[in-house]
Amino acid sequence: MVNVGNGEIEMIDFFELTPDLVCIAGKDGYFRKVNPAVINLLGYTREELFAQPISSFIHPDDLQMTSRERKKLLNGRALINFQNRYVSKNGKISWLDWTSVYLPDKEIVFAIAKDVTDRKKAEQEIEEKYKRFKSLATHFKVSLERDKKYLAIELHEELAQLASVVKMDMDWIKSHEKSLSSSTESRLDHALVISDLLINTIRRISFSISPGMLDDLGLNATLDWHCKEFSLLTGISCQYKYNYDESELTKEIKLDFFRVCQEALTNIMYHAQAKKVQIKIEEADNRIFLLIIDNGQGFDASKQMDKPGLKGIRERAASINGHLTIKSAKGKGTQVSVSIAKPAANSPLWNKVER
């Protein structure tokens, strides 16, 4: 007769009755003992499971990853929440979440797994939906920027040129018609001044719609020029400084950084009552930070986030997975910060998009 203690009986009951997959494996990589849940999931008999190495049941794409983790396990590191795929006898693929420990004195691995296939499928569906949404959003973004670029070219190349021709004609009339009355000359002088303003306004609007120099000269040169133009237009001191490698940014990020600066400077011009603005792009802790700082009147950021200006900045930051922070208080100015993780060297984001 074999005497079995109460603790051993409870352990046997757990091993046989738990819905989780429980197994004991040898250091040689073969099953030594499995509970009914393992047999039910994989569809093999107990003898078939014991006759083949465990690796033969693992999905081929997960073999290398599983081998690496197994080596760590045998070196004394417990395996917790490790996920891989197993292939059943009928070809069904199941995701298993493992917790395993190695007992070196017995040279066996004790492992428990949960079947998380349904959860993984749900996660994959969500991820696919997100990718489709992201792709669609990027498509609309590209199309919008392409249309803006076309409009900017039409403004600059067509409308500004026509205004220039009108100005040239007025210059000719003033130079060649000696019998003009003083009132007519005065009106011509006024029209020439207005023509200059019109041409410069068209060019400025064209640049705002689509900054062509961003593609030609890069983000740093464009922001430096934009700051100088902002200062000339508003009388507000605006400086641009940078300490990062521009070549690491994709075209999309450069464009969105520029658009955030545009939106922020527009807000400052109309609302901040600032005397000084500083724009900075710098790198720290493997992230790149865009900062727009002004010494204006400030505001209560918690009550203004739904305003059109800040909403536009928030949406731009979100489109490049950026983290937006706005610090402001009445009488203490405002700091807008957008930070992004440094893009991977082979990031495809917009690198091949013609705009």
Side-chain angles (χ1 to χ4, degrees), residues 89 260 317:
K89 192 172 184 178
V260 167

Side-chain angles (χ1 to χ4, degrees), residues 10 49 55 62 68 71 107 118 133 143-144 150 153 160-161 200 216 218 220 224 273 286 301 343 354:
E10 290 174 1
L49 289 172
S55 59
D62 293 347
R68 285 197 306 268
K71 287 177 182 177
E107 293 191 337
D118 291 341
F133 172 78
S143 298
L144 179 61
Y150 173 77
I153 291 172
Q161 293 289 354
N200 290 332
D216 299 332
N220 291 329
D224 185 61
Q273 298 181 17
N286 212 37
E354 292 184 4

